Amino acid sequence: MNAKRITTGLSMILKMLFRRRIIIISLVVIPVLFLTIVELTAPTRTIPFRLASLDIRTFIRESLKEIALVFFAVTSSGFLVSLLALNLIQVENDVNRRLVICGYNPFEILISNLLALSLLIIAIAVYIGLLVSWFVPINNLLMFILGLALIGFVYGCYGLAIGSLIKGKMEGVFLIVMLANIDSGWLQNPMYYAEAHNNVIIRYLPAYFPSQSAVIAAFTDYSGAMARFYGILYGSGFLILSMFIFYNKMRIKK
Amino acid sequence: MILKVENIAKSFGRNKVLNNVSFEMDAASLYGIVGENGSGKSTLLKIIVGEWKHDHGTISVSGALGYCPQNTLLFSQLTVDEHFRYFAAAYGIEKAESTDRSESLMDYFNFRKYRKEKIAHLSGGTQQKLNLAIALLHRPKLLILDEPYSGFDWDTYSRFWDYTNQLRSEGCAILVVTHLLTEKERFDRIFNLEQGELT
């Protein structure tokens, strides 16, 4: 492992990323668009709902609009980071392979990508967190942002795994959109979850713990530590899987 | 000896692409491999550089290896200068040396004026020049070139051969793969890859 190679890789990855204007525009515009649509369309009726990850089976009363705003913040954070991670790994895969032939260790390339992804996860979580707090009062903003970073971590590592495994762009985007849509965009919605017939399946999906962590921080004073812990474990599983696939695909075969 | 390839075999499913391919290369030699499209030339090179795994056989390379792939493998959003910096880090070359070397290569192949341009904005020929220059950046002992001059104009093509002669005089072994060979007298040896075997 060579620190100079990793920092050179990181600086080049960030340059490549920020020179793609459509990516920057998407990062800024998509959350604003999602939240504005929710703000303009969601009803303000207050409903009680239950948070499954809390030990105390308590009901929280919030307006549908506020629930939807927090929920869409979580969804857009996971979705954006996942697509960025896919883009980081997949788009320049063949050239990265050439770097490995020329002397880079596959792990050096992966660490550079992970560092770039970490910076993006933090930036996206802070941006979306502050944006949502402008629409709706957030109980614990710091922990809420941490919840958004957590879904970024879990879905970012999922994006890395898909990017390492799947060569086709369309197929990669499809797998991300499908899971993000079904899991984070539908099943983890507290309103849907509370009424679900079988919520055991929902608990095993990637967005479950990060969503719980963010919603707990947004609406309650309860600790979301366990949800955060399990979320980190879940993300680490994807991370190890993606590292394994990436290394096996990139290493020199002799 | 710089390169020793012994009994390399490779199949894709039932299609046997390489069948016990063996050859050796000494320092300062220039070998060519010709063959029809799909005969396995690029497969052999990818196996030698370690990009693909072979089914059996051994390959030994002594000294630094430079590889110019058939397709221009470059980062579309980085500039020419940034490519030299990135690949210099891969080769482990110090900044001062890589700057000298990259400037001399840009001057020789006449693309210094594009050094601040992103690859996405360059012509195919200029991209091919950079593709080749990256393989030469670290003064390799073994240079493997896969269809290296396909996008070159006549002037660049002549410069390419002058440069390879200079490299050979410095002891570099060069292996060129092409489907079209016009100047056979330049080579020490030319192999024909046919039905997975070198003749």
Side-chain angles (χ1 to χ4, degrees), chain B residues 157-191:
Chain B
Y157 177 77
S158 315
R159 282 170 181 272
F160 163 77
W161 282 117
D162 290 345
Y163 203 89
T164 51
N165 286 336
Q166 190 187 317
L167 287 173
R168 282 180 74 188
S169 66
E170 292 166 7
C172 178
I174 304 165
L175 179 62
V176 180
V177 157
T178 180
H179 67 285
L180 206 64
L181 200 61
T182 50
E183 295 170 275
K184 293 182 179 176
E185 66 282 0
R186 290 185 185 275
F187 291 85
D188 296 320
R189 198 167 172 190
I190 296 169
F191 296 109

PDB file of all heavy atoms in Angstrom, chain B residues 157-191:
ATOM      1  N   TYR B 157       3.401   7.815 -37.664  1.00  0.00           N
ATOM      2  CA  TYR B 157       3.767   6.413 -37.917  1.00  0.00           C
ATOM      3  C   TYR B 157       5.298   6.284 -38.066  1.00  0.00           C
ATOM      4  O   TYR B 157       5.922   5.409 -37.479  1.00  0.00           O
ATOM      5  CB  TYR B 157       3.057   5.941 -39.186  1.00  0.00           C
ATOM      6  CG  TYR B 157       3.389   4.537 -39.627  1.00  0.00           C
ATOM      7  CD1 TYR B 157       2.839   3.435 -38.986  1.00  0.00           C
ATOM      8  CD2 TYR B 157       4.258   4.311 -40.697  1.00  0.00           C
ATOM      9  CE1 TYR B 157       3.152   2.139 -39.397  1.00  0.00           C
ATOM     10  CE2 TYR B 157       4.574   3.031 -41.116  1.00  0.00           C
ATOM     11  CZ  TYR B 157       4.017   1.947 -40.465  1.00  0.00           C
ATOM     12  OH  TYR B 157       4.334   0.671 -40.869  1.00  0.00           O
ATOM     13  N   SER B 158       5.929   7.225 -38.830  1.00  0.00           N
ATOM     14  CA  SER B 158       7.384   7.196 -39.006  1.00  0.00           C
ATOM     15  C   SER B 158       8.081   7.463 -37.677  1.00  0.00           C
ATOM     16  O   SER B 158       9.069   6.803 -37.338  1.00  0.00           O
ATOM     17  CB  SER B 158       7.845   8.272 -39.987  1.00  0.00           C
ATOM     18  OG  SER B 158       7.035   8.285 -41.078  1.00  0.00           O
ATOM     19  N   ARG B 159       7.563   8.440 -36.939  1.00  0.00           N
ATOM     20  CA  ARG B 159       8.153   8.753 -35.636  1.00  0.00           C
ATOM     21  C   ARG B 159       8.057   7.557 -34.693  1.00  0.00           C
ATOM     22  O   ARG B 159       8.964   7.311 -33.900  1.00  0.00           O
ATOM     23  CB  ARG B 159       7.428   9.946 -34.998  1.00  0.00           C
ATOM     24  CG  ARG B 159       7.839  11.277 -35.563  1.00  0.00           C
ATOM     25  CD  ARG B 159       6.907  12.369 -35.070  1.00  0.00           C
ATOM     26  NE  ARG B 159       7.303  13.636 -35.627  1.00  0.00           N
ATOM     27  CZ  ARG B 159       8.192  14.432 -35.055  1.00  0.00           C
ATOM     28  NH1 ARG B 159       8.730  14.131 -33.903  1.00  0.00           N
ATOM     29  NH2 ARG B 159       8.537  15.571 -35.622  1.00  0.00           N
ATOM     30  N   PHE B 160       6.924   6.860 -34.791  1.00  0.00           N
ATOM     31  CA  PHE B 160       6.732   5.683 -33.941  1.00  0.00           C
ATOM     32  C   PHE B 160       7.851   4.675 -34.186  1.00  0.00           C
ATOM     33  O   PHE B 160       8.473   4.162 -33.243  1.00  0.00           O
ATOM     34  CB  PHE B 160       5.362   5.047 -34.222  1.00  0.00           C
ATOM     35  CG  PHE B 160       5.218   3.642 -33.727  1.00  0.00           C
ATOM     36  CD1 PHE B 160       5.013   3.382 -32.375  1.00  0.00           C
ATOM     37  CD2 PHE B 160       5.318   2.563 -34.593  1.00  0.00           C
ATOM     38  CE1 PHE B 160       4.907   2.080 -31.912  1.00  0.00           C
ATOM     39  CE2 PHE B 160       5.207   1.257 -34.132  1.00  0.00           C
ATOM     40  CZ  PHE B 160       4.997   1.023 -32.784  1.00  0.00           C
ATOM     41  N   TRP B 161       8.157   4.412 -35.477  1.00  0.00           N
ATOM     42  CA  TRP B 161       9.198   3.429 -35.776  1.00  0.00           C
ATOM     43  C   TRP B 161      10.581   3.944 -35.395  1.00  0.00           C
ATOM     44  O   TRP B 161      11.425   3.171 -34.933  1.00  0.00           O
ATOM     45  CB  TRP B 161       9.154   3.026 -37.253  1.00  0.00           C
ATOM     46  CG  TRP B 161       8.050   2.044 -37.518  1.00  0.00           C
ATOM     47  CD1 TRP B 161       6.978   2.222 -38.321  1.00  0.00           C
ATOM     48  CD2 TRP B 161       7.901   0.740 -36.936  1.00  0.00           C
ATOM     49  NE1 TRP B 161       6.154   1.126 -38.288  1.00  0.00           N
ATOM     50  CE2 TRP B 161       6.704   0.189 -37.448  1.00  0.00           C
ATOM     51  CE3 TRP B 161       8.645  -0.017 -36.041  1.00  0.00           C
ATOM     52  CZ2 TRP B 161       6.239  -1.074 -37.094  1.00  0.00           C
ATOM     53  CZ3 TRP B 161       8.186  -1.277 -35.688  1.00  0.00           C
ATOM     54  CH2 TRP B 161       6.999  -1.792 -36.214  1.00  0.00           C
ATOM     55  N   ASP B 162      10.812   5.253 -35.554  1.00  0.00           N
ATOM     56  CA  ASP B 162      12.109   5.813 -35.114  1.00  0.00           C
ATOM     57  C   ASP B 162      12.268   5.633 -33.605  1.00  0.00           C
ATOM     58  O   ASP B 162      13.343   5.309 -33.115  1.00  0.00           O
ATOM     59  CB  ASP B 162      12.176   7.320 -35.451  1.00  0.00           C
ATOM     60  CG  ASP B 162      12.272   7.557 -36.944  1.00  0.00           C
ATOM     61  OD1 ASP B 162      12.580   6.579 -37.660  1.00  0.00           O
ATOM     62  OD2 ASP B 162      12.015   8.689 -37.390  1.00  0.00           O
ATOM     63  N   TYR B 163      11.168   5.857 -32.914  1.00  0.00           N
ATOM     64  CA  TYR B 163      11.216   5.754 -31.459  1.00  0.00           C
ATOM     65  C   TYR B 163      11.477   4.311 -31.012  1.00  0.00           C
ATOM     66  O   TYR B 163      12.247   4.066 -30.086  1.00  0.00           O
ATOM     67  CB  TYR B 163       9.911   6.282 -30.838  1.00  0.00           C
ATOM     68  CG  TYR B 163      10.075   6.716 -29.403  1.00  0.00           C
ATOM     69  CD1 TYR B 163      10.449   8.020 -29.101  1.00  0.00           C
ATOM     70  CD2 TYR B 163       9.902   5.823 -28.357  1.00  0.00           C
ATOM     71  CE1 TYR B 163      10.634   8.424 -27.793  1.00  0.00           C
ATOM     72  CE2 TYR B 163      10.081   6.222 -27.037  1.00  0.00           C
ATOM     73  CZ  TYR B 163      10.440   7.520 -26.766  1.00  0.00           C
ATOM     74  OH  TYR B 163      10.634   7.919 -25.472  1.00  0.00           O
ATOM     75  N   THR B 164      10.811   3.371 -31.683  1.00  0.00           N
ATOM     76  CA  THR B 164      11.027   1.958 -31.295  1.00  0.00           C
ATOM     77  C   THR B 164      12.482   1.533 -31.579  1.00  0.00           C
ATOM     78  O   THR B 164      13.062   0.782 -30.798  1.00  0.00           O
ATOM     79  CB  THR B 164      10.070   0.998 -32.037  1.00  0.00           C
ATOM     80  OG1 THR B 164      10.142   1.264 -33.413  1.00  0.00           O
ATOM     81  CG2 THR B 164       8.655   1.135 -31.570  1.00  0.00           C
ATOM     82  N   ASN B 165      13.055   2.074 -32.647  1.00  0.00           N
ATOM     83  CA  ASN B 165      14.464   1.765 -32.929  1.00  0.00           C
ATOM     84  C   ASN B 165      15.372   2.298 -31.823  1.00  0.00           C
ATOM     85  O   ASN B 165      16.316   1.630 -31.402  1.00  0.00           O
ATOM     86  CB  ASN B 165      14.883   2.363 -34.281  1.00  0.00           C
ATOM     87  CG  ASN B 165      14.287   1.567 -35.428  1.00  0.00           C
ATOM     88  OD1 ASN B 165      13.970   0.387 -35.268  1.00  0.00           O
ATOM     89  ND2 ASN B 165      14.106   2.213 -36.567  1.00  0.00           N
ATOM     90  N   GLN B 166      15.039   3.513 -31.373  1.00  0.00           N
ATOM     91  CA  GLN B 166      15.817   4.126 -30.288  1.00  0.00           C
ATOM     92  C   GLN B 166      15.700   3.275 -29.010  1.00  0.00           C
ATOM     93  O   GLN B 166      16.687   3.030 -28.319  1.00  0.00           O
ATOM     94  CB  GLN B 166      15.254   5.533 -30.049  1.00  0.00           C
ATOM     95  CG  GLN B 166      16.092   6.401 -29.123  1.00  0.00           C
ATOM     96  CD  GLN B 166      15.362   7.701 -28.819  1.00  0.00           C
ATOM     97  OE1 GLN B 166      14.785   8.325 -29.709  1.00  0.00           O
ATOM     98  NE2 GLN B 166      15.375   8.096 -27.558  1.00  0.00           N
ATOM     99  N   LEU B 167      14.472   2.824 -28.727  1.00  0.00           N
ATOM    100  CA  LEU B 167      14.251   1.993 -27.536  1.00  0.00           C
ATOM    101  C   LEU B 167      15.037   0.686 -27.620  1.00  0.00           C
ATOM    102  O   LEU B 167      15.623   0.228 -26.641  1.00  0.00           O
ATOM    103  CB  LEU B 167      12.758   1.672 -27.370  1.00  0.00           C
ATOM    104  CG  LEU B 167      11.844   2.794 -26.900  1.00  0.00           C
ATOM    105  CD1 LEU B 167      10.386   2.341 -26.971  1.00  0.00           C
ATOM    106  CD2 LEU B 167      12.169   3.196 -25.466  1.00  0.00           C
ATOM    107  N   ARG B 168      15.042   0.115 -28.808  1.00  0.00           N
ATOM    108  CA  ARG B 168      15.782  -1.148 -28.993  1.00  0.00           C
ATOM    109  C   ARG B 168      17.271  -0.932 -28.750  1.00  0.00           C
ATOM    110  O   ARG B 168      17.935  -1.774 -28.142  1.00  0.00           O
ATOM    111  CB  ARG B 168      15.603  -1.666 -30.421  1.00  0.00           C
ATOM    112  CG  ARG B 168      14.288  -2.338 -30.632  1.00  0.00           C
ATOM    113  CD  ARG B 168      14.179  -2.811 -32.056  1.00  0.00           C
ATOM    114  NE  ARG B 168      15.005  -3.984 -32.323  1.00  0.00           N
ATOM    115  CZ  ARG B 168      15.202  -4.495 -33.529  1.00  0.00           C
ATOM    116  NH1 ARG B 168      14.680  -3.922 -34.589  1.00  0.00           N
ATOM    117  NH2 ARG B 168      15.931  -5.579 -33.687  1.00  0.00           N
ATOM    118  N   SER B 169      17.777   0.205 -29.220  1.00  0.00           N
ATOM    119  CA  SER B 169      19.209   0.473 -29.020  1.00  0.00           C
ATOM    120  C   SER B 169      19.536   0.627 -27.537  1.00  0.00           C
ATOM    121  O   SER B 169      20.669   0.449 -27.114  1.00  0.00           O
ATOM    122  CB  SER B 169      19.641   1.720 -29.794  1.00  0.00           C
ATOM    123  OG  SER B 169      18.997   2.850 -29.241  1.00  0.00           O
ATOM    124  N   GLU B 170      18.487   0.946 -26.715  1.00  0.00           N
ATOM    125  CA  GLU B 170      18.690   1.054 -25.266  1.00  0.00           C
ATOM    126  C   GLU B 170      18.445  -0.291 -24.568  1.00  0.00           C
ATOM    127  O   GLU B 170      18.445  -0.367 -23.342  1.00  0.00           O
ATOM    128  CB  GLU B 170      17.741   2.114 -24.692  1.00  0.00           C
ATOM    129  CG  GLU B 170      18.073   3.531 -25.148  1.00  0.00           C
ATOM    130  CD  GLU B 170      16.966   4.530 -24.863  1.00  0.00           C
ATOM    131  OE1 GLU B 170      15.974   4.160 -24.190  1.00  0.00           O
ATOM    132  OE2 GLU B 170      17.082   5.679 -25.309  1.00  0.00           O
ATOM    133  N   GLY B 171      18.130  -1.329 -25.346  1.00  0.00           N
ATOM    134  CA  GLY B 171      17.982  -2.673 -24.764  1.00  0.00           C
ATOM    135  C   GLY B 171      16.555  -3.114 -24.536  1.00  0.00           C
ATOM    136  O   GLY B 171      16.324  -4.175 -23.951  1.00  0.00           O
ATOM    137  N   CYS B 172      15.581  -2.329 -24.976  1.00  0.00           N
ATOM    138  CA  CYS B 172      14.168  -2.670 -24.745  1.00  0.00           C
ATOM    139  C   CYS B 172      13.714  -3.740 -25.769  1.00  0.00           C
ATOM    140  O   CYS B 172      13.984  -3.629 -26.958  1.00  0.00           O
ATOM    141  CB  CYS B 172      13.327  -1.407 -24.887  1.00  0.00           C
ATOM    142  SG  CYS B 172      11.572  -1.680 -24.671  1.00  0.00           S
ATOM    143  N   ALA B 173      13.029  -4.768 -25.267  1.00  0.00           N
ATOM    144  CA  ALA B 173      12.429  -5.777 -26.156  1.00  0.00           C
ATOM    145  C   ALA B 173      11.008  -5.336 -26.495  1.00  0.00           C
ATOM    146  O   ALA B 173      10.286  -4.887 -25.604  1.00  0.00           O
ATOM    147  CB  ALA B 173      12.403  -7.123 -25.464  1.00  0.00           C
ATOM    148  N   ILE B 174      10.656  -5.434 -27.770  1.00  0.00           N
ATOM    149  CA  ILE B 174       9.356  -4.915 -28.208  1.00  0.00           C
ATOM    150  C   ILE B 174       8.569  -6.006 -28.935  1.00  0.00           C
ATOM    151  O   ILE B 174       9.084  -6.643 -29.855  1.00  0.00           O
ATOM    152  CB  ILE B 174       9.538  -3.681 -29.132  1.00  0.00           C
ATOM    153  CG1 ILE B 174      10.366  -2.606 -28.404  1.00  0.00           C
ATOM    154  CG2 ILE B 174       8.189  -3.103 -29.552  1.00  0.00           C
ATOM    155  CD1 ILE B 174      10.914  -1.525 -29.313  1.00  0.00           C
ATOM    156  N   LEU B 175       7.325  -6.168 -28.489  1.00  0.00           N
ATOM    157  CA  LEU B 175       6.434  -7.142 -29.125  1.00  0.00           C
ATOM    158  C   LEU B 175       5.237  -6.383 -29.698  1.00  0.00           C
ATOM    159  O   LEU B 175       4.496  -5.728 -28.960  1.00  0.00           O
ATOM    160  CB  LEU B 175       5.964  -8.166 -28.078  1.00  0.00           C
ATOM    161  CG  LEU B 175       5.006  -9.252 -28.551  1.00  0.00           C
ATOM    162  CD1 LEU B 175       5.635 -10.134 -29.612  1.00  0.00           C
ATOM    163  CD2 LEU B 175       4.567 -10.123 -27.362  1.00  0.00           C
ATOM    164  N   VAL B 176       5.097  -6.437 -31.020  1.00  0.00           N
ATOM    165  CA  VAL B 176       4.017  -5.705 -31.691  1.00  0.00           C
ATOM    166  C   VAL B 176       3.011  -6.702 -32.245  1.00  0.00           C
ATOM    167  O   VAL B 176       3.392  -7.640 -32.960  1.00  0.00           O
ATOM    168  CB  VAL B 176       4.565  -4.824 -32.842  1.00  0.00           C
ATOM    169  CG1 VAL B 176       3.425  -4.068 -33.534  1.00  0.00           C
ATOM    170  CG2 VAL B 176       5.590  -3.830 -32.329  1.00  0.00           C
ATOM    171  N   VAL B 177       1.762  -6.468 -31.940  1.00  0.00           N
ATOM    172  CA  VAL B 177       0.709  -7.304 -32.495  1.00  0.00           C
ATOM    173  C   VAL B 177      -0.094  -6.484 -33.489  1.00  0.00           C
ATOM    174  O   VAL B 177      -0.453  -5.344 -33.212  1.00  0.00           O
ATOM    175  CB  VAL B 177      -0.200  -7.830 -31.365  1.00  0.00           C
ATOM    176  CG1 VAL B 177      -1.557  -8.197 -31.895  1.00  0.00           C
ATOM    177  CG2 VAL B 177       0.422  -9.032 -30.703  1.00  0.00           C
ATOM    178  N   THR B 178      -0.298  -7.011 -34.653  1.00  0.00           N
ATOM    179  CA  THR B 178      -1.068  -6.281 -35.664  1.00  0.00           C
ATOM    180  C   THR B 178      -1.755  -7.264 -36.618  1.00  0.00           C
ATOM    181  O   THR B 178      -1.330  -8.406 -36.754  1.00  0.00           O
ATOM    182  CB  THR B 178      -0.152  -5.307 -36.452  1.00  0.00           C
ATOM    183  OG1 THR B 178      -0.924  -4.623 -37.414  1.00  0.00           O
ATOM    184  CG2 THR B 178       0.991  -6.029 -37.141  1.00  0.00           C
ATOM    185  N   HIS B 179      -2.822  -6.796 -37.253  1.00  0.00           N
ATOM    186  CA  HIS B 179      -3.449  -7.661 -38.259  1.00  0.00           C
ATOM    187  C   HIS B 179      -2.952  -7.268 -39.645  1.00  0.00           C
ATOM    188  O   HIS B 179      -3.218  -7.928 -40.631  1.00  0.00           O
ATOM    189  CB  HIS B 179      -4.975  -7.575 -38.177  1.00  0.00           C
ATOM    190  CG  HIS B 179      -5.529  -6.255 -38.564  1.00  0.00           C
ATOM    191  ND1 HIS B 179      -5.454  -5.161 -37.743  1.00  0.00           N
ATOM    192  CD2 HIS B 179      -6.145  -5.840 -39.683  1.00  0.00           C
ATOM    193  CE1 HIS B 179      -6.011  -4.130 -38.357  1.00  0.00           C
ATOM    194  NE2 HIS B 179      -6.439  -4.514 -39.527  1.00  0.00           N
ATOM    195  N   LEU B 180      -2.193  -6.165 -39.701  1.00  0.00           N
ATOM    196  CA  LEU B 180      -1.721  -5.657 -40.983  1.00  0.00           C
ATOM    197  C   LEU B 180      -0.239  -5.305 -40.855  1.00  0.00           C
ATOM    198  O   LEU B 180       0.113  -4.375 -40.125  1.00  0.00           O
ATOM    199  CB  LEU B 180      -2.527  -4.390 -41.333  1.00  0.00           C
ATOM    200  CG  LEU B 180      -2.672  -4.036 -42.781  1.00  0.00           C
ATOM    201  CD1 LEU B 180      -3.454  -5.104 -43.523  1.00  0.00           C
ATOM    202  CD2 LEU B 180      -3.371  -2.694 -42.914  1.00  0.00           C
ATOM    203  N   LEU B 181       0.615  -6.047 -41.523  1.00  0.00           N
ATOM    204  CA  LEU B 181       2.047  -5.811 -41.390  1.00  0.00           C
ATOM    205  C   LEU B 181       2.614  -5.447 -42.756  1.00  0.00           C
ATOM    206  O   LEU B 181       2.543  -6.237 -43.688  1.00  0.00           O
ATOM    207  CB  LEU B 181       2.711  -7.086 -40.858  1.00  0.00           C
ATOM    208  CG  LEU B 181       4.066  -6.923 -40.213  1.00  0.00           C
ATOM    209  CD1 LEU B 181       4.004  -6.018 -39.003  1.00  0.00           C
ATOM    210  CD2 LEU B 181       4.588  -8.282 -39.805  1.00  0.00           C
ATOM    211  N   THR B 182       3.163  -4.232 -42.871  1.00  0.00           N
ATOM    212  CA  THR B 182       3.659  -3.800 -44.177  1.00  0.00           C
ATOM    213  C   THR B 182       5.187  -3.800 -44.249  1.00  0.00           C
ATOM    214  O   THR B 182       5.750  -4.029 -45.305  1.00  0.00           O
ATOM    215  CB  THR B 182       3.141  -2.390 -44.502  1.00  0.00           C
ATOM    216  OG1 THR B 182       3.398  -1.549 -43.385  1.00  0.00           O
ATOM    217  CG2 THR B 182       1.660  -2.406 -44.825  1.00  0.00           C
ATOM    218  N   GLU B 183       5.849  -3.534 -43.124  1.00  0.00           N
ATOM    219  CA  GLU B 183       7.310  -3.403 -43.192  1.00  0.00           C
ATOM    220  C   GLU B 183       7.989  -4.536 -42.416  1.00  0.00           C
ATOM    221  O   GLU B 183       8.476  -4.336 -41.306  1.00  0.00           O
ATOM    222  CB  GLU B 183       7.710  -2.038 -42.645  1.00  0.00           C
ATOM    223  CG  GLU B 183       7.181  -0.918 -43.524  1.00  0.00           C
ATOM    224  CD  GLU B 183       7.367   0.441 -42.874  1.00  0.00           C
ATOM    225  OE1 GLU B 183       6.510   0.820 -42.086  1.00  0.00           O
ATOM    226  OE2 GLU B 183       8.385   1.081 -43.174  1.00  0.00           O
ATOM    227  N   LYS B 184       8.008  -5.707 -43.034  1.00  0.00           N
ATOM    228  CA  LYS B 184       8.489  -6.912 -42.354  1.00  0.00           C
ATOM    229  C   LYS B 184       9.976  -6.837 -42.008  1.00  0.00           C
ATOM    230  O   LYS B 184      10.431  -7.471 -41.073  1.00  0.00           O
ATOM    231  CB  LYS B 184       8.219  -8.141 -43.223  1.00  0.00           C
ATOM    232  CG  LYS B 184       6.747  -8.435 -43.365  1.00  0.00           C
ATOM    233  CD  LYS B 184       6.495  -9.667 -44.164  1.00  0.00           C
ATOM    234  CE  LYS B 184       4.998  -9.917 -44.247  1.00  0.00           C
ATOM    235  NZ  LYS B 184       4.641 -11.044 -45.086  1.00  0.00           N
ATOM    236  N   GLU B 185      10.733  -6.033 -42.809  1.00  0.00           N
ATOM    237  CA  GLU B 185      12.179  -5.978 -42.593  1.00  0.00           C
ATOM    238  C   GLU B 185      12.569  -5.331 -41.264  1.00  0.00           C
ATOM    239  O   GLU B 185      13.690  -5.483 -40.798  1.00  0.00           O
ATOM    240  CB  GLU B 185      12.871  -5.249 -43.763  1.00  0.00           C
ATOM    241  CG  GLU B 185      12.551  -3.775 -43.913  1.00  0.00           C
ATOM    242  CD  GLU B 185      11.196  -3.497 -44.565  1.00  0.00           C
ATOM    243  OE1 GLU B 185      10.488  -4.455 -44.911  1.00  0.00           O
ATOM    244  OE2 GLU B 185      10.847  -2.311 -44.688  1.00  0.00           O
ATOM    245  N   ARG B 186      11.632  -4.607 -40.671  1.00  0.00           N
ATOM    246  CA  ARG B 186      11.925  -3.961 -39.380  1.00  0.00           C
ATOM    247  C   ARG B 186      12.062  -4.989 -38.248  1.00  0.00           C
ATOM    248  O   ARG B 186      12.675  -4.711 -37.233  1.00  0.00           O
ATOM    249  CB  ARG B 186      10.808  -2.992 -39.004  1.00  0.00           C
ATOM    250  CG  ARG B 186      10.725  -1.753 -39.863  1.00  0.00           C
ATOM    251  CD  ARG B 186       9.662  -0.831 -39.301  1.00  0.00           C
ATOM    252  NE  ARG B 186       9.441   0.329 -40.147  1.00  0.00           N
ATOM    253  CZ  ARG B 186      10.163   1.435 -40.088  1.00  0.00           C
ATOM    254  NH1 ARG B 186      11.157   1.537 -39.230  1.00  0.00           N
ATOM    255  NH2 ARG B 186       9.895   2.447 -40.891  1.00  0.00           N
ATOM    256  N   PHE B 187      11.438  -6.156 -38.426  1.00  0.00           N
ATOM    257  CA  PHE B 187      11.315  -7.109 -37.315  1.00  0.00           C
ATOM    258  C   PHE B 187      12.430  -8.146 -37.313  1.00  0.00           C
ATOM    259  O   PHE B 187      12.912  -8.554 -38.374  1.00  0.00           O
ATOM    260  CB  PHE B 187       9.967  -7.844 -37.404  1.00  0.00           C
ATOM    261  CG  PHE B 187       8.785  -6.949 -37.128  1.00  0.00           C
ATOM    262  CD1 PHE B 187       8.220  -6.188 -38.150  1.00  0.00           C
ATOM    263  CD2 PHE B 187       8.263  -6.856 -35.847  1.00  0.00           C
ATOM    264  CE1 PHE B 187       7.140  -5.361 -37.904  1.00  0.00           C
ATOM    265  CE2 PHE B 187       7.178  -6.027 -35.590  1.00  0.00           C
ATOM    266  CZ  PHE B 187       6.615  -5.276 -36.618  1.00  0.00           C
ATOM    267  N   ASP B 188      12.809  -8.584 -36.109  1.00  0.00           N
ATOM    268  CA  ASP B 188      13.756  -9.693 -36.001  1.00  0.00           C
ATOM    269  C   ASP B 188      13.057 -11.006 -36.309  1.00  0.00           C
ATOM    270  O   ASP B 188      13.664 -11.933 -36.833  1.00  0.00           O
ATOM    271  CB  ASP B 188      14.317  -9.763 -34.565  1.00  0.00           C
ATOM    272  CG  ASP B 188      15.107  -8.520 -34.225  1.00  0.00           C
ATOM    273  OD1 ASP B 188      15.841  -8.040 -35.099  1.00  0.00           O
ATOM    274  OD2 ASP B 188      14.970  -8.013 -33.101  1.00  0.00           O
ATOM    275  N   ARG B 189      11.792 -11.060 -35.920  1.00  0.00           N
ATOM    276  CA  ARG B 189      11.054 -12.305 -36.133  1.00  0.00           C
ATOM    277  C   ARG B 189       9.560 -11.983 -36.198  1.00  0.00           C
ATOM    278  O   ARG B 189       9.086 -11.123 -35.444  1.00  0.00           O
ATOM    279  CB  ARG B 189      11.335 -13.253 -34.956  1.00  0.00           C
ATOM    280  CG  ARG B 189      10.992 -14.664 -35.251  1.00  0.00           C
ATOM    281  CD  ARG B 189      11.565 -15.598 -34.216  1.00  0.00           C
ATOM    282  NE  ARG B 189      11.033 -16.925 -34.459  1.00  0.00           N
ATOM    283  CZ  ARG B 189      11.180 -17.935 -33.643  1.00  0.00           C
ATOM    284  NH1 ARG B 189      11.856 -17.801 -32.527  1.00  0.00           N
ATOM    285  NH2 ARG B 189      10.664 -19.120 -33.928  1.00  0.00           N
ATOM    286  N   ILE B 190       8.866 -12.679 -37.087  1.00  0.00           N
ATOM    287  CA  ILE B 190       7.418 -12.471 -37.181  1.00  0.00           C
ATOM    288  C   ILE B 190       6.718 -13.820 -37.023  1.00  0.00           C
ATOM    289  O   ILE B 190       7.052 -14.787 -37.717  1.00  0.00           O
ATOM    290  CB  ILE B 190       7.037 -11.831 -38.533  1.00  0.00           C
ATOM    291  CG1 ILE B 190       7.652 -10.429 -38.638  1.00  0.00           C
ATOM    292  CG2 ILE B 190       5.515 -11.731 -38.668  1.00  0.00           C
ATOM    293  CD1 ILE B 190       7.555  -9.824 -40.017  1.00  0.00           C
ATOM    294  N   PHE B 191       5.769 -13.870 -36.091  1.00  0.00           N
ATOM    295  CA  PHE B 191       4.975 -15.088 -35.896  1.00  0.00           C
ATOM    296  C   PHE B 191       3.606 -14.899 -36.535  1.00  0.00           C
ATOM    297  O   PHE B 191       3.077 -13.783 -36.543  1.00  0.00           O
ATOM    298  CB  PHE B 191       4.737 -15.355 -34.403  1.00  0.00           C
ATOM    299  CG  PHE B 191       5.973 -15.640 -33.612  1.00  0.00           C
ATOM    300  CD1 PHE B 191       6.455 -14.713 -32.704  1.00  0.00           C
ATOM    301  CD2 PHE B 191       6.642 -16.845 -33.753  1.00  0.00           C
ATOM    302  CE1 PHE B 191       7.584 -14.985 -31.955  1.00  0.00           C
ATOM    303  CE2 PHE B 191       7.767 -17.120 -32.997  1.00  0.00           C
ATOM    304  CZ  PHE B 191       8.246 -16.183 -32.096  1.00  0.00           C
TER     305      PHE B 191
END
